[in-house]
Amino acid sequence: MKSNVYAKKNGLKRLNNLIYPRSAGFIHLINEMRRHNYIECIYDVTIAYPVNTVQSEVGLFLTGRTPQKVLFHIERIDLSCIPIKDRDIAQWINELWIAKDEKLDLFYSQQPPRIHISNDQNKFIWKDDNPLHKIVKLFTLCFWSLMTAFWFYHLTFLRFVQVLFGYFIFVSASIYGKYGGIQRMVYIKWWHAMKAETVYW
């Protein structure tokens, strides 16, 4: 894996559950948002699968093996906790990833059912959904199943929907061809807006 090669090259610990992040993009965004006073904090999200860890989309579709639960550990990190210099930011985010990987190692070392993960308060308990959450999930599943069937039906028989779908494909392909994707388009638009605002002031 490229992440292991990167770790060996830079004298970093080899990760078991994660790959090292691409720090250059993160550093650029942090610096730009700091410069424009656009950010106060970031959120560190760690995802864990108590049963049936998904390794790839291929295995998911070929075997139908899906996780029974997806657990999230979310931590707010104030901007003041993030270093200023680029090199220090890169080191900080690598250390953060190492700590996340150690948390996941500890999590997966537990016997099922896995509900604990270490954090600054020593222990965090994943709470099961209450009955209302389960009802909402069931309603959401039914709603989107019906909507999928609805759109497939109309896509098959209605010319207007077919034209609309073709237009969507055309726009998506155009955005990808010009910008490299929707996310990059949003970033470029945001960067130009910030640049214009800076020039104006």
Side-chain angles (χ1 to χ4, degrees), residues 167-181:
Y167 176 75
F168 171 77
I169 296 297
F170 172 77
V171 171
S172 299
S174 299
I175 291 174
Y176 185 83
K178 184 175 182 180
Y179 298 102

Side-chain angles (χ1 to χ4, degrees), residues 64-196:
R65 191 167 179 257
T66 60
Q68 295 180 3
K69 291 183 179 180
V70 181
L71 308 179
F72 298 86
H73 178 258
I74 304 172
E75 181 180 358
R76 185 182 191 273
I77 301 175
D78 290 332
L79 190 62
S80 59
C81 297
I82 303 175
I84 301 297
K85 296 182 179 179
D86 290 0
R87 178 177 295 182
D88 294 337
I89 296 176
Q91 181 180 353
W92 175 84
I93 196 170
N94 284 335
E95 291 174 353
L96 177 64
W97 247 244
I98 292 172
K100 285 160 68 74
D101 192 68
E102 290 174 350
K103 287 181 182 180
L104 289 171
D105 278 339
L106 181 60
F107 177 80
Y108 288 119
S109 68
Q110 301 174 33
Q111 294 296 323
R114 303 182 177 105
I115 59 173
H116 298 96
I117 188 169
S118 63
N119 63 0
D120 294 338
Q121 285 73 41
N122 190 33
K123 185 172 289 187
F124 181 86
I125 299 178
W126 302 101
K127 295 183 179 180
D128 289 332
D129 292 338
N130 60 39
L132 179 60
H133 290 164
K134 293 180 179 179
I135 292 173
V136 171
K137 286 182 178 180
L138 181 60
F139 172 79
T140 304
L141 175 63
C142 294
F143 174 80
W144 284 111
S145 297
L146 289 173
M147 286 298 296
T148 301
F150 173 84
W151 276 106
F152 268 110
Y153 174 82
H154 286 80
L155 185 61
T156 304
F157 297 105
L158 288 184
R159 179 58 58 89
F160 171 74
V161 177
Q162 294 171 351
V163 172
L164 188 64
F165 182 73
Y167 176 75
F168 171 77
I169 296 297
F170 172 77
V171 171
S172 299
S174 299
I175 291 174
Y176 185 83
K178 184 175 182 180
Y179 298 102
I182 293 178
Q183 290 181 331
R184 183 161 178 78
M185 182 192 73
V186 172
Y187 168 73
I188 291 174
K189 295 288 186 182
W190 171 81
W191 185 82
H192 282 299
M194 292 295 101
K195 187 176 180 181

Side-chain angles (χ1 to χ4, degrees), residues 47-56 60 64-71 108:
I47 302 175
Y49 303 94
V51 181
N52 293 347
T53 303
V54 178
Q55 298 293 342
S56 68
L60 181 66
R65 191 167 179 257
T66 60
Q68 295 180 3
K69 291 183 179 180
V70 181
L71 308 179
Y108 288 119

